[in-house]
Amino acid sequence: MSNDQSLMDRIEFPEIPEAAMKKIAVLEEQFSRAEVEQLRHTHKLMAPLIAKRSEIINMPDVQAEFWMRVFASAPPEIDEYILPSDAAVLGESLKNLTVERFELDAQGNGEPRSLRFTFEFKTGEENPFFTNDKLVKEFYWRQEITKSKSGRTRTWEGLVSEPVRINWKKDADLTKGLLDAACDLAEAEKKKGGDRKKLPEFATLVQKVEEADAEADAAGGDDEDEDEIPSPVGVSFFGFFGYRGRDVSAAKSQESAKEIEARWAKVQNGEDINEAGDSDDEEEEEDDGLEDAEIFPDGDDLAVAIAEDLWTDALNYYVQSFQAGDELEDMDLEMDELDEMDEDEESESRPRKKARN
Protein backbone atom coordinates (compact mmCIF):
# COMPACT_ATOMS: atom_id res chain seq x y z
CA MET A 1 0.00 0.00 0.00
CA SER A 2 1.38 3.38 -0.99
CA ASN A 3 2.00 5.99 1.70
CA ASP A 4 2.43 8.86 -0.75
CA GLN A 5 -0.95 10.41 0.10
CA SER A 6 -0.95 13.66 2.01
CA LEU A 7 -2.84 13.96 5.27
CA MET A 8 -5.56 16.01 3.56
CA ASP A 9 -5.97 13.28 0.90
CA ARG A 10 -6.49 10.67 3.61
CA ILE A 11 -9.37 12.49 5.25
CA GLU A 12 -12.54 10.58 4.47
CA PHE A 13 -14.94 13.53 4.74
CA PRO A 14 -14.21 16.31 2.22
CA GLU A 15 -16.81 18.49 3.95
CA ILE A 16 -17.64 19.19 7.58
CA PRO A 17 -20.54 16.96 8.65
CA GLU A 18 -23.79 18.92 8.74
CA ALA A 19 -24.53 18.08 12.38
CA ALA A 20 -21.07 19.25 13.44
CA MET A 21 -21.38 22.39 11.33
CA LYS A 22 -24.58 23.38 13.13
CA LYS A 23 -22.93 22.91 16.52
CA ILE A 24 -19.90 24.91 15.40
CA ALA A 25 -22.11 27.76 14.19
CA VAL A 26 -23.96 27.88 17.51
CA LEU A 27 -20.73 27.80 19.51
CA GLU A 28 -19.19 30.56 17.38
CA GLU A 29 -22.21 32.74 18.07
CA GLN A 30 -21.88 32.03 21.80
CA PHE A 31 -18.20 33.04 21.67
CA SER A 32 -19.13 36.24 19.85
CA ARG A 33 -21.77 37.16 22.41
CA ALA A 34 -19.39 36.37 25.27
CA GLU A 35 -16.82 38.75 23.75
CA VAL A 36 -19.42 41.52 23.65
CA GLU A 37 -20.23 40.96 27.33
CA GLN A 38 -16.53 40.99 28.09
CA LEU A 39 -16.29 44.42 26.45
CA ARG A 40 -19.02 45.70 28.77
CA HIS A 41 -17.21 44.48 31.88
CA THR A 42 -13.82 45.69 30.64
CA HIS A 43 -15.27 49.15 30.04
CA LYS A 44 -16.41 49.43 33.66
CA LEU A 45 -13.12 48.10 35.04
CA MET A 46 -10.95 50.31 32.84
CA ALA A 47 -12.82 53.61 33.33
CA PRO A 48 -11.14 54.62 36.63
CA LEU A 49 -7.74 53.49 35.33
CA ILE A 50 -8.14 55.57 32.17
CA ALA A 51 -8.94 58.56 34.38
CA LYS A 52 -5.71 58.02 36.34
CA ARG A 53 -3.79 57.65 33.10
CA SER A 54 -5.18 60.97 31.89
CA GLU A 55 -3.71 62.64 34.97
CA ILE A 56 -0.28 61.36 33.96
CA ILE A 57 -0.72 62.35 30.32
CA ASN A 58 -1.73 65.88 31.36
CA MET A 59 1.49 66.42 33.29
CA PRO A 60 3.29 69.27 31.44
CA ASP A 61 6.50 67.30 30.93
CA VAL A 62 4.56 64.35 29.51
CA GLN A 63 1.76 65.98 27.53
CA ALA A 64 3.94 67.74 24.98
CA GLU A 65 5.25 64.53 23.42
CA PHE A 66 2.94 61.80 24.68
CA TRP A 67 0.78 61.07 21.65
CA MET A 68 3.58 61.84 19.22
CA ARG A 69 5.63 59.12 20.89
CA VAL A 70 2.68 56.73 21.06
CA PHE A 71 1.96 57.01 17.34
CA ALA A 72 5.68 56.76 16.57
CA SER A 73 5.69 53.40 18.39
CA ALA A 74 2.39 52.19 16.91
CA PRO A 75 2.12 48.52 15.88
CA PRO A 76 2.36 47.64 12.16
CA GLU A 77 -1.41 47.34 11.67
CA ILE A 78 -1.68 51.05 12.52
CA ASP A 79 1.70 52.37 11.45
CA GLU A 80 1.26 51.13 7.87
CA TYR A 81 -1.51 53.69 7.37
CA ILE A 82 0.62 56.62 8.55
CA LEU A 83 2.59 58.21 5.72
CA PRO A 84 5.59 60.46 6.42
CA SER A 85 3.42 63.50 5.70
CA ASP A 86 0.84 62.22 8.21
CA ALA A 87 3.56 61.67 10.80
CA ALA A 88 4.52 65.34 10.45
CA VAL A 89 0.98 66.42 11.38
CA LEU A 90 0.67 63.98 14.27
CA GLY A 91 4.13 64.85 15.53
CA GLU A 92 3.85 68.62 15.30
CA SER A 93 0.20 69.39 15.99
CA LEU A 94 -1.60 66.55 17.82
CA LYS A 95 -2.29 67.47 21.45
CA ASN A 96 -4.55 64.70 22.67
CA LEU A 97 -6.57 61.65 21.67
CA THR A 98 -9.62 60.22 23.40
CA VAL A 99 -11.43 56.99 22.53
CA GLU A 100 -14.89 56.34 23.95
CA ARG A 101 -17.39 53.52 23.70
CA PHE A 102 -19.98 56.24 23.69
CA GLU A 103 -23.12 54.11 23.45
CA LEU A 104 -22.36 52.47 26.80
CA ASP A 105 -23.60 53.99 30.04
CA ALA A 106 -21.75 53.88 33.37
CA GLN A 107 -23.36 50.54 34.21
CA GLY A 108 -22.20 48.97 30.96
CA ASN A 109 -25.60 48.97 29.27
CA GLY A 110 -25.78 49.73 25.57
CA GLU A 111 -23.73 48.88 22.50
CA PRO A 112 -20.04 48.46 23.45
CA ARG A 113 -18.75 48.19 19.90
CA SER A 114 -19.61 51.75 18.84
CA LEU A 115 -16.59 54.05 19.04
CA ARG A 116 -15.91 57.78 19.22
CA PHE A 117 -12.46 59.20 18.44
CA THR A 118 -11.65 62.76 19.51
CA PHE A 119 -8.40 64.14 18.12
CA GLU A 120 -7.36 67.50 19.61
CA PHE A 121 -4.90 69.68 17.72
CA LYS A 122 -2.89 72.83 18.19
CA THR A 123 -4.15 75.88 16.34
CA GLY A 124 -2.78 78.98 14.65
CA GLU A 125 0.86 78.98 13.65
CA GLU A 126 1.44 75.80 15.67
CA ASN A 127 -0.70 73.94 13.15
CA PRO A 128 0.31 74.77 9.56
CA PHE A 129 -1.95 72.04 8.20
CA PHE A 130 -5.58 72.88 9.11
CA THR A 131 -7.67 75.16 11.32
CA ASN A 132 -9.69 72.54 13.22
CA ASP A 133 -8.86 72.39 16.91
CA LYS A 134 -10.77 69.13 17.26
CA LEU A 135 -11.80 66.28 14.94
CA VAL A 136 -14.50 63.94 16.24
CA LYS A 137 -15.16 60.72 14.34
CA GLU A 138 -17.97 58.41 15.46
CA PHE A 139 -18.43 54.80 14.41
CA TYR A 140 -21.80 53.13 15.03
CA TRP A 141 -22.17 49.38 15.28
CA ARG A 142 -25.03 48.39 12.99
CA GLN A 143 -26.74 45.18 11.89
CA GLU A 144 -28.64 44.41 8.72
CA ILE A 145 -30.69 41.45 7.52
CA THR A 146 -31.36 40.98 3.83
CA LYS A 147 -33.10 38.28 1.84
CA SER A 148 -31.71 36.77 -1.34
CA LYS A 149 -34.00 36.10 -4.28
CA SER A 150 -34.01 32.43 -3.36
CA GLY A 151 -35.26 33.27 0.13
CA ARG A 152 -32.11 32.81 2.18
CA THR A 153 -31.40 35.21 5.03
CA ARG A 154 -28.14 37.11 5.08
CA THR A 155 -26.86 38.89 8.16
CA TRP A 156 -24.33 41.72 8.12
CA GLU A 157 -22.92 43.61 11.07
CA GLY A 158 -20.16 46.17 11.35
CA LEU A 159 -19.18 49.80 11.84
CA VAL A 160 -20.66 52.69 9.88
CA SER A 161 -19.83 56.37 10.07
CA GLU A 162 -20.23 59.81 8.51
CA PRO A 163 -17.41 61.81 6.89
CA VAL A 164 -15.82 64.54 9.00
CA ARG A 165 -14.56 67.61 7.15
CA ILE A 166 -11.08 68.96 7.79
CA ASN A 167 -10.53 72.65 7.10
CA TRP A 168 -7.17 72.38 5.37
CA LYS A 169 -4.95 75.38 4.96
CA LYS A 170 -3.81 76.37 1.48
CA ASP A 171 -2.02 73.55 -0.37
CA ALA A 172 -2.00 71.41 2.79
CA ASP A 173 -4.72 68.84 1.99
CA LEU A 174 -3.04 65.47 2.49
CA THR A 175 -6.08 63.64 1.09
CA LYS A 176 -5.79 65.56 -2.20
CA GLY A 177 -9.45 66.54 -2.22
CA LEU A 178 -10.83 63.08 -1.43
CA LEU A 179 -12.09 63.95 2.05
CA ASP A 180 -13.79 67.14 0.85
CA ALA A 181 -15.46 65.20 -1.96
CA ALA A 182 -16.70 62.55 0.50
CA CYS A 183 -18.13 65.26 2.76
CA ASP A 184 -19.73 67.01 -0.22
CA LEU A 185 -21.53 63.80 -1.20
CA ALA A 186 -22.78 63.12 2.33
CA GLU A 187 -24.12 66.67 2.62
CA ALA A 188 -25.75 66.48 -0.82
CA GLU A 189 -27.53 63.25 0.14
CA LYS A 190 -29.06 64.93 3.19
CA LYS A 191 -30.15 68.00 1.24
CA LYS A 192 -31.33 66.40 -2.00
CA GLY A 193 -32.17 62.81 -1.05
CA GLY A 194 -32.96 60.22 -3.70
CA ASP A 195 -30.50 57.88 -5.39
CA ARG A 196 -26.98 58.97 -4.42
CA LYS A 197 -25.59 57.46 -7.62
CA LYS A 198 -27.48 60.12 -9.62
CA LEU A 199 -25.93 63.02 -7.71
CA PRO A 200 -23.11 64.95 -9.41
CA GLU A 201 -21.17 64.79 -6.14
CA PHE A 202 -21.20 60.99 -6.41
CA ALA A 203 -19.65 61.05 -9.88
CA THR A 204 -17.03 63.53 -8.72
CA LEU A 205 -16.07 61.41 -5.72
CA VAL A 206 -15.94 58.13 -7.66
CA GLN A 207 -13.66 59.75 -10.22
CA LYS A 208 -11.33 61.00 -7.49
CA VAL A 209 -11.27 57.55 -5.87
CA GLU A 210 -10.38 55.94 -9.20
CA GLU A 211 -7.61 58.48 -9.77
CA ALA A 212 -6.24 57.88 -6.27
CA ASP A 213 -6.30 54.11 -6.80
CA ALA A 214 -4.45 54.47 -10.10
CA GLU A 215 -1.87 56.73 -8.49
CA ALA A 216 -1.40 54.29 -5.60
CA ASP A 217 -0.96 51.38 -8.01
CA ALA A 218 1.63 53.33 -9.95
CA ALA A 219 3.47 54.27 -6.75
CA GLY A 220 3.39 50.66 -5.57
CA GLY A 221 5.12 49.50 -8.72
CA ASP A 222 7.82 52.16 -8.57
CA ASP A 223 10.96 50.84 -6.90
CA GLU A 224 12.94 54.05 -7.24
CA ASP A 225 11.93 55.44 -3.85
CA GLU A 226 11.76 52.58 -1.36
CA ASP A 227 11.34 54.98 1.58
CA GLU A 228 7.92 56.13 0.34
CA ILE A 229 5.93 52.97 1.06
CA PRO A 230 2.31 53.57 0.02
CA SER A 231 -0.56 53.13 2.46
CA PRO A 232 -2.63 49.93 2.06
CA VAL A 233 -5.56 52.15 1.08
CA GLY A 234 -3.54 54.46 -1.13
CA VAL A 235 -4.44 57.62 0.76
CA SER A 236 -3.35 59.66 3.76
CA PHE A 237 -4.15 58.56 7.31
CA PHE A 238 -6.52 61.53 7.42
CA GLY A 239 -8.69 59.80 4.84
CA PHE A 240 -9.79 57.82 7.91
CA PHE A 241 -12.12 60.73 8.68
CA GLY A 242 -13.94 60.08 5.41
CA TYR A 243 -14.82 56.44 6.09
CA ARG A 244 -18.53 55.61 5.75
CA GLY A 245 -19.01 51.86 5.54
CA ARG A 246 -22.36 50.33 4.72
CA ASP A 247 -25.55 52.37 4.38
CA VAL A 248 -27.49 51.06 7.39
CA SER A 249 -29.64 53.48 9.38
CA ALA A 250 -30.22 53.23 13.12
CA ALA A 251 -33.88 52.31 12.56
CA LYS A 252 -33.02 49.56 10.08
CA SER A 253 -30.37 48.22 12.44
CA GLN A 254 -32.85 48.05 15.32
CA GLU A 255 -35.33 46.10 13.20
CA SER A 256 -32.63 43.69 12.11
CA ALA A 257 -31.42 43.27 15.70
CA LYS A 258 -34.91 42.21 16.79
CA GLU A 259 -35.08 39.60 14.05
CA ILE A 260 -31.58 38.34 14.88
CA GLU A 261 -32.50 37.96 18.56
CA ALA A 262 -35.71 36.14 17.67
CA ARG A 263 -33.79 33.69 15.48
CA TRP A 264 -31.18 33.18 18.21
CA ALA A 265 -33.89 32.42 20.76
CA LYS A 266 -35.21 29.68 18.48
CA VAL A 267 -31.74 28.22 18.08
CA GLN A 268 -31.23 28.16 21.85
CA ASN A 269 -34.54 26.35 22.22
CA GLY A 270 -33.30 23.69 19.84
CA GLU A 271 -35.57 24.70 16.96
CA ASP A 272 -34.35 24.17 13.42
CA ILE A 273 -34.39 27.21 11.18
CA ASN A 274 -34.95 25.89 7.70
CA GLU A 275 -34.69 28.26 4.80
CA ALA A 276 -35.38 27.94 1.13
CA GLY A 277 -32.63 28.35 -1.40
CA ASP A 278 -29.17 27.00 -1.93
CA SER A 279 -26.63 27.46 0.86
CA ASP A 280 -24.07 28.33 -1.83
CA ASP A 281 -26.26 31.12 -3.15
CA GLU A 282 -23.91 33.72 -4.59
CA GLU A 283 -26.40 36.33 -5.74
CA GLU A 284 -25.03 39.83 -5.73
CA GLU A 285 -26.44 42.17 -3.13
CA GLU A 286 -28.09 45.43 -4.06
CA ASP A 287 -25.43 48.05 -4.76
CA ASP A 288 -25.88 51.25 -2.75
CA GLY A 289 -22.88 52.85 -4.45
CA LEU A 290 -20.93 53.44 -1.25
CA GLU A 291 -18.31 50.82 -2.03
CA ASP A 292 -17.29 52.72 -5.17
CA ALA A 293 -17.29 55.99 -3.22
CA GLU A 294 -15.35 54.75 -0.18
CA ILE A 295 -12.12 56.72 0.24
CA PHE A 296 -10.76 54.68 3.18
CA PRO A 297 -11.99 51.07 2.88
CA ASP A 298 -10.06 49.90 5.96
CA GLY A 299 -11.55 52.57 8.22
CA ASP A 300 -13.40 50.09 10.42
CA ASP A 301 -10.35 47.88 10.89
CA LEU A 302 -8.16 50.86 11.72
CA ALA A 303 -10.75 52.16 14.19
CA VAL A 304 -10.80 48.84 16.05
CA ALA A 305 -6.99 48.65 16.03
CA ILE A 306 -6.64 52.13 17.52
CA ALA A 307 -9.34 51.51 20.12
CA GLU A 308 -8.27 48.05 21.23
CA ASP A 309 -4.50 48.39 20.89
CA LEU A 310 -3.07 51.89 20.63
CA TRP A 311 -5.51 53.53 23.04
CA THR A 312 -5.53 50.69 25.56
CA ASP A 313 -1.74 50.26 25.61
CA ALA A 314 -0.80 53.91 25.13
CA LEU A 315 1.37 54.03 28.25
CA ASN A 316 3.35 51.00 27.10
CA TYR A 317 3.95 52.55 23.68
CA TYR A 318 5.02 55.81 25.33
CA VAL A 319 7.58 54.00 27.48
CA GLN A 320 8.76 51.91 24.52
CA SER A 321 9.52 55.08 22.57
CA PHE A 322 12.21 55.96 25.14
CA GLN A 323 13.56 52.43 25.15
CA ALA A 324 13.84 52.57 21.38
CA GLY A 325 15.85 55.76 21.75
CA ASP A 326 18.18 54.07 24.24
CA GLU A 327 18.63 51.15 21.86
CA LEU A 328 19.57 53.52 19.06
CA GLU A 329 22.10 55.23 21.32
CA ASP A 330 23.54 51.84 22.26
CA MET A 331 23.78 50.95 18.58
CA ASP A 332 25.60 54.22 17.90
CA LEU A 333 28.04 53.50 20.72
CA GLU A 334 28.64 49.99 19.43
CA MET A 335 29.26 51.35 15.94
CA ASP A 336 31.71 53.90 17.36
CA GLU A 337 33.53 51.14 19.24
CA LEU A 338 33.71 49.03 16.09
CA ASP A 339 35.08 51.99 14.15
CA GLU A 340 37.74 52.53 16.83
CA MET A 341 38.67 48.84 16.75
CA ASP A 342 38.98 48.98 12.96
CA GLU A 343 41.22 52.02 13.24
CA ASP A 344 43.41 50.27 15.84
CA GLU A 345 43.69 47.18 13.65
CA GLU A 346 44.62 49.31 10.67
CA SER A 347 47.29 51.14 12.66
CA GLU A 348 48.73 47.83 13.92
CA SER A 349 48.79 46.37 10.44
CA ARG A 350 50.84 49.27 9.08
CA PRO A 351 54.63 48.61 8.91
CA ARG A 352 56.53 50.46 11.63
CA LYS A 353 59.26 52.88 10.69
CA LYS A 354 62.77 51.65 11.35
CA ALA A 355 64.57 53.37 14.19
CA ARG A 356 67.68 55.33 13.27
CA ASN A 357 70.93 53.96 14.50
Side-chain angles (χ1 to χ4, degrees), residues 246-348:
R246 198 149 171 163
D247 187 7
V248 183
S249 67
K252 189 172 185 179
S253 181
Q254 289 174 358
E255 291 178 7
S256 297
K258 290 179 182 178
E259 185 172 344
I260 290 170
E261 291 305 314
R263 289 166 60 86
W264 178 239
K266 291 181 179 179
V267 170
Q268 287 184 304
N269 290 331
E271 298 180 36
D272 286 331
I273 301 177
N274 297 317
E275 294 184 311
D278 185 359
S279 60
D280 294 328
D281 189 355
E282 294 292 340
E283 293 177 15
E284 291 187 5
E285 298 179 9
E286 185 178 349
D287 180 18
D288 59 15
L290 281 183
E291 185 174 349
D292 294 332
E294 183 62 74
I295 72 169
F296 205 95
D298 297 351
D300 51 348
D301 292 333
L302 181 57
V304 172
I306 293 175
E308 296 186 355
D309 192 329
L310 195 77
W311 167 254
T312 304
D313 294 331
L315 281 181
N316 289 334
Y317 288 123
Y318 176 71
V319 172
Q320 285 177 21
S321 71
F322 288 94
Q323 294 172 343
D326 292 340
E327 290 173 2
L328 288 174
E329 288 181 6
D330 291 341
M331 288 177 63
D332 289 339
L333 288 173
E334 289 176 5
M335 292 300 294
D336 290 341
E337 290 174 0
L338 288 172
D339 289 340
E340 290 176 3
M341 290 174 63
D342 290 340
E343 289 176 2
D344 291 341
E345 289 176 359
E346 286 179 8
S347 62
E348 290 177 2

Side-chain angles (χ1 to χ4, degrees), residues 93 121-133 169:
S93 302
F121 293 91
K122 299 173 184 176
T123 56
E125 295 181 358
E126 291 185 295
N127 186 342
F129 310 100
F130 45 78
T131 60
N132 309 71
D133 63 343
K169 293 184 178 180

